[in-house]
Amino acid sequence: MSDVAPKSQRKSQIEEAQLVNVVLRYFKLAGVAVGVWLSGYLNFSPSWILFGLILYVWKERQGQRKKLQIEIRQDTARDEQKAILARVEDLPSWVHFPEVERAEWFNKILDQIWPFIGGYVKELLTNSIQPKIQASHAQMASFVFTKIDLGDIPPRIGGVKVYTKNVRRDEIYMDLDIIYSSDCDLMVKLKGMNMGIKDLQIRGTMRVILKPLISRMPLFGGLSVFFLNNPSIDFNLKGIADAFDLPGLREMVEDIIAEQIANIMVLPNRIAVPMIEGLNLSLLKYPPPEGVLRIYMIEARNLVSADVALLGKGKSDPYAVLKFGPEKFKTKVINNSVNPEWNEVFETIIDCKDAQVIDLEIRDEDPGSKDDKIGTAAIDISSSASNGTLDTWLPLENVKKGDVHIKLVWMYLANDPIVLEKTMKQVDTSTELATCVLMVNLDSAKDLPRMRKQIAEPSPYVVLSLGPKMFETEEKPNTDSPVWEKPFRFLVHNPQIQKLDLQILDKKNPKESLGDLTIPLKSLLSAPDMTLDQNFSLKNSGLDSKINMRLCLRILTTENNPAWRSEGTILNTNSSSVDPPAAQKEGTTSPDSAQKSKVEPAKTTASGVDPVIKKVEVTQINAAKPEGQVIPPASSGGPNTVTSTEVRQRKTKSSPVPAESDAKGAFGRGRIQLTFRYSAQRQKLVVVVHKCQNLLPCDSDNLADPYVKMYLLPDKSSSGKRKTQVVKNNLDPVFDETFEFSLKQEEIADRDLELTIRNDTKFFSSNIKVMGVVTIDLSKMDISKAATEWFDLHPEDSDDAEKPVSVESDV
């Protein structure tokens, strides 16, 4: 009976809410009618009525679309099987990945305890969060939660992937597909204004790390939780906040909420919970990064024309935006161009290269209105990390045409001061590229002074600056011994001359300082392990005023040395309450510390250009050949490893690299180098056309203008056609272009990939048009992992029967 009463009470509340919505809608329509009558009575321009009508229709359509999306997600949360059978979109991750398991048992437990979680959250918000918000600022003193209802739909775990390979024996890595399609209703009141959100929607991949494993309960020493990439967020606004549900304003609100979530638990931020005493929480919460990625935004070509021109073709005013966790980079705007050249470089610190992606958007600037999106792409980090350098063209998605030219350079972190001289020589002095990374763990301060004529204790916060970069901590109210426990990271151009400046200010009187400190970075170069972990005496402060920090300097280099990659000890060995971590498996590495064992040198193509990359799957880790791994570069020399793969094609033989004797292939028409990979999560077949060698001369000057055209048979429609750019006057063209085909995994066995190398000629030209053909039976290939192979070209009219042949791959 105790469960029936709340359900019947909630049902009556829903019926009352529906009645209120009907009454409100009636008055809204009546108000519109009165407004139209008044505009005519007062002789207002009809343009105002038209503008209001357009705004009303737009808002109604947006509301209906969002309502449908919310209903679909809520239906999936209530009964996943029924919703999937009714609609096969937005499937959970376990549908796509055989290694991702369902977690229905956990979802059932969560559904059972959700009402009790709702009561706990309500008490937490009212008794803990609300007072903190009220005390945070004088303007927030009247803040109160007026309604807290988490609804009936709990979060769901769409799938769980537990990593059993390439992890240490003393740690567990899990990726959870979080789906929260709630019917929650939260209302707050501030200065007499009511506002709130409802129908909150969150989806993302959350990583859970349990380490170190110990031999007593609770069997693991610590827990860390974080989102690998920014989760997708959607919601509806209520009250006065509903006024922001307009074009431009809504995006601003969504960006603010997403930024706050990213600052809490999107890498590099994470939530860490110690489970035992003696745990080094700083290493659990703030592990060292894996490296630094340099992103060269070079140019774009063939962009769509977003601006309409009265005469001639329209143009665009393109610029690029790169989003990576809480960070965002933006290039300059190139006016009136569909082939812009930016030639800008950005640097970002990478924490987990095998799971994080960089989202790229090309936008058209429209002053006075929302900028149009004219293409997107996803930049995979793991490929540049494994190959060292990647220089390629990426096709833009969600548009009819357009490519963007990027270059990625991966930098490792070294703790050897000798490496600095070499790194300084490689960096152009005219640029502000970094040579080092400074990691600052700001712990606490003690015995801070009180300001003159001030009895109360200060409310200190810290401002740290190095070069143009500046960070500010949160305020710690009414204390002379604040504890922040915050990490900060700076990219350093020249540690020989640069300094870290730190100043402690009082929020009650920010014009006067509580103390300051300047640390020359060159002092870290001579420190043990280039690290200082100590109490620093403050200047212009009290006699005993100190601040506790850990400073760690690492030098950027393109070389990889496993000796540079020590994570430190997460357990304090002098503590009797903990057990030492288990030994690491021989030859295995952690997903967050890739390539600690044997690391091969970076490989590039003969032209120095690496292959194209696409979006990495968020569930992968640093396995030797994980699902979703990007395509390795084409090699101009012999392969490092050789595997055997069966491929059926017309009299086609291939080898990893053609020797001079057989470089023209079995038919004397040359060879083509390709890479294949299938992304199960995105259901895409990825094909990279690297290059051709010794093609057939077609023109009078014994050259040709080759390009590659391909079809995924049996589909030969224009929508299924893919084509590379034309390379002029070349019999050994290098393309390095990536193409994608939407293809379900079960359809692969019934498909062939046909590639035709053609000569770009005029319509009435008598020159040879078809230079060679390759047909590949995908059912005979293992495309679950990237494989790079050479294929002989045969004549278009070859009647030889197709037969399986053994092909050596470059992977």
Side-chain angles (χ1 to χ4, degrees), residues 16 82 120 127 254 332 387 540 612 670:
E16 292 175 2
K82 184 178 179 181
Y120 168 76
N127 299 332
E254 289 180 348
K332 59 189 175 184
N387 300 324
N540 303 316
V612 181

Side-chain angles (χ1 to χ4, degrees), residues 613-684:
I613 54 175
K614 295 302 294 180
K615 187 170 184 178
V616 71
E617 318 306 333
V618 295
T619 55
Q620 78 175 65
I621 61 169
N622 185 40
K625 289 290 181 296
E627 158 59 31
Q629 178 173 331
V630 290
I631 296 154
S635 175
S636 60
N640 293 327
T641 58
V642 177
T643 58
S644 179
T645 306
E646 278 228 328
V647 179
R648 188 187 69 179
Q649 60 188 69
R650 288 195 187 127
K651 300 176 68 174
T652 300
K653 299 178 181 179
S654 67
S655 61
V657 178
E660 185 66 28
S661 58
D662 63 346
K664 292 186 178 182
F667 297 92
R669 289 178 173 263
R671 296 186 170 196
I672 184 170
Q673 190 183 43
L674 306 170
T675 294
F676 303 90
R677 177 178 62 84
Y678 184 75
S679 172
Q681 184 179 21
R682 298 169 57 231
Q683 294 191 337
K684 299 277 189 180

Side-chain angles (χ1 to χ4, degrees), residues 470-759:
M470 180 179 295
F471 293 105
E472 181 177 312
T473 70
E474 61 183 358
E475 166 201 355
K476 295 296 179 180
N478 303 321
T479 178
D480 63 352
S481 299
V483 177
W484 291 285
E485 293 183 335
K486 287 290 183 181
F488 303 96
R489 301 185 295 196
F490 298 88
L491 291 171
V492 181
H493 177 62
N494 189 346
Q496 299 284 4
I497 60 176
Q498 288 187 275
K499 302 176 181 180
L500 174 67
D501 293 318
L502 180 148
Q503 190 173 26
I504 303 180
L505 302 173
D506 186 1
K507 202 71 174 182
K508 299 175 181 177
N509 190 4
K511 293 184 179 180
E512 297 192 30
S513 173
L514 297 175
D516 58 76
L517 179 66
T518 299
I519 302 177
L521 299 187
K522 63 181 180 181
S523 62
L524 288 165
L525 296 174
S526 58
D529 196 37
M530 301 173 65
T531 302
L532 293 176
D533 190 351
Q534 64 186 62
N535 288 318
F536 296 87
S537 298
L538 293 171
K539 297 181 180 179
N540 303 316
S541 186
L543 294 176
D544 299 323
S545 299
K546 297 182 183 297
I547 188 166
N548 184 269
M549 293 189 299
R550 182 179 187 271
L551 307 178
C552 179
L553 189 68
R554 290 293 180 263
I555 300 171
L556 304 185
T557 175
T558 55
E559 300 176 3
N560 186 19
N561 187 342
W564 295 336
R565 291 177 163 259
S566 62
E567 292 186 355
T569 304
I570 196 169
L571 286 174
N572 294 332
T573 55
N574 59 354
S575 174
S576 59
S577 61
V578 297
D579 298 328
Q584 182 176 344
K585 286 183 180 179
E586 183 178 357
T588 60
T589 58
S590 167
D592 286 343
S593 56
Q595 297 182 349
K596 288 185 183 176
S597 54
K598 183 179 179 181
V599 179
E600 297 181 357
K603 299 179 289 183
T604 57
T605 61
S607 62
V609 180
D610 288 322
V612 181
I613 54 175
K614 295 302 294 180
K615 187 170 184 178
V616 71
E617 318 306 333
V618 295
T619 55
Q620 78 175 65
I621 61 169
N622 185 40
K625 289 290 181 296
E627 158 59 31
Q629 178 173 331
V630 290
I631 296 154
S635 175
S636 60
N640 293 327
T641 58
V642 177
T643 58
S644 179
T645 306
E646 278 228 328
V647 179
R648 188 187 69 179
Q649 60 188 69
R650 288 195 187 127
K651 300 176 68 174
T652 300
K653 299 178 181 179
S654 67
S655 61
V657 178
E660 185 66 28
S661 58
D662 63 346
K664 292 186 178 182
F667 297 92
R669 289 178 173 263
R671 296 186 170 196
I672 184 170
Q673 190 183 43
L674 306 170
T675 294
F676 303 90
R677 177 178 62 84
Y678 184 75
S679 172
Q681 184 179 21
R682 298 169 57 231
Q683 294 191 337
K684 299 277 189 180
L685 173 66
V686 182
V687 181
V688 179
V689 181
H690 291 298
K691 58 186 176 181
C692 298
Q693 286 192 352
N694 294 292
L695 294 180
L696 187 70
C698 298
D699 300 338
S700 57
D701 54 1
N702 289 326
L703 293 174
D705 301 331
Y707 67 93
V708 181
K709 184 173 69 173
M710 67 186 78
Y711 292 97
L712 191 61
L713 302 179
D715 182 15
K716 270 210 166 187
S717 63
S718 58
S719 61
K721 181 177 70 174
R722 305 291 189 271
K723 188 173 71 171
T724 68
Q725 298 288 322
V726 178
V727 178
K728 295 287 186 179
N729 301 321
N730 201 321
L731 298 181
D732 299 294
V734 176
F735 301 101
D736 277 326
E737 296 188 40
T738 294
F739 303 92
E740 291 186 346
F741 297 89
S742 297
L743 185 65
K744 294 182 179 179
Q745 194 162 7
E746 58 270 18
E747 297 176 350
I748 296 177
D750 301 326
R751 295 299 187 100
D752 293 338
L753 182 67
E754 181 185 85
L755 299 97
T756 304
I757 292 80
R758 300 182 65 90
N759 180 30

